[in-house]
Amino acid sequence: MHIDTKDGIPVRLVMTEADDWHLHVRDGALLGAVLPDTVRRFRRAIIMPNLEPPVTTVAAARAYRERILACVPRDGRFTPLMTLYLTAATTVGDIEEAADSGLIAAVKYYPAGATTNSRQGVSDIRQCDAVLGAMERFDIPLLMHGEVVDPAVDAFAREEVFLERVLTPLLGDFPRLRVVMEHITTAAAVAFVREGPRTLAATLTAHHMLLNRNALFEGGIRPHHYCRPLLQPEGDRRALVAAAISGHPRFFLGTDSAPHPRFAKESACGCAGIYTAHAALELYAEIFADAGALDRLEGFASHFGADFYGLPRNTGTVCLERGPLQVPQTVSFGVGEGVPFRAGMTVDWHLAGTAG
Ligand code: DOR
Ligand code: ZN
């Protein structure tokens, strides 16, 4: 890694190519429209399986992988890392097949009803104990959407309650199962992961580190800032930034970039999800630079995730420069237009190319 400064301020960063450890690219025309944004910035990405219908079998993951590869631009180098969607019907046989295939990087747990395309998720993860045992044996990581869906629990407390009701007993019963708590949003989750076993890690999105929950209501209801888990109060946002820049190897980059067409967001019952792939690495650079910790970005974005997944680190480099990236008001999602994060505004850093 190399950082150039001007008058004591970092202006240019060259570091190992990054990976996105949590990404939604959808399918069909939408997939074709959004994938190039990720390919330009990341060498690999963990691909979420919450399609309609969800990716529940190795065969479906293999076919989806082919459709993704067909959308990689000619000059792009990109490896999609495939996941299976855990349902109550997932069997030990499915996990054995996943392990044999060499194609499945992880299995994703959605609590039924928690978010986009989670209807076929799991109501009680303890119904899946045999499957979790097989994942532990074959060392396939479990990626968790860390919220409870109990309607009696306040919408902003669902992550914290998840830690106590779901994650604590799970880690106790499956001590060798590798678990990634995805897109954490609270100081409680940061502390939990920090104090947790080495088998536990967490991904952090740019949007949860840049916005607090006031952003949902700035001058009116803001559907483009609606995501799951929800944005949280300022103290939590700061705790996420502190975790990301801490250099702790069990916190790493996962954008959760989640494209939805504009009409599906600007609706009486709008979809959860924020599109950040168009500026993902630049937004993280802005966060780290503003925190005076740009030298910690490479570990977070390019090393720690690969280490946790047991994959080799990337060998190429990526270059970012200070200077505004102008974000358009809308982008094409193939199936209509989408409104990207920071629409009509700027990001402080821009991509200056990849090499090697
Ligand atoms: O906001 C979200 N959007 N959170 C998720 O967990 C899913 C995602 C999506 O697929 O749109
Ligand atoms: Zn997600």
Side-chain angles (χ1 to χ4, degrees), residues 233-256:
E234 177 62 9
D236 291 296
R237 186 195 70 78
R238 287 188 190 190
L240 302 181
V241 175
I245 66 170
S246 69
H248 189 299
R250 288 187 286 108
F251 295 103
F252 45 83
L253 187 157
T255 63
D256 198 17

Side-chain angles (χ1 to χ4, degrees), residues 39 52 75 81 89 130 167 170 179 190 214 236 243 246 306 332 343:
V39 173
E52 196 69 81
D75 55 349
L81 301 169
L167 193 52
L170 191 85
V179 175
V190 168
N214 289 354
D236 291 296
S246 69
S332 169

Side-chain angles (χ1 to χ4, degrees), residues 143-154:
L143 314 185
M144 302 192 84
H145 183 106
E147 290 192 277
V148 294
V149 289
D150 180 350
V153 176
D154 183 86

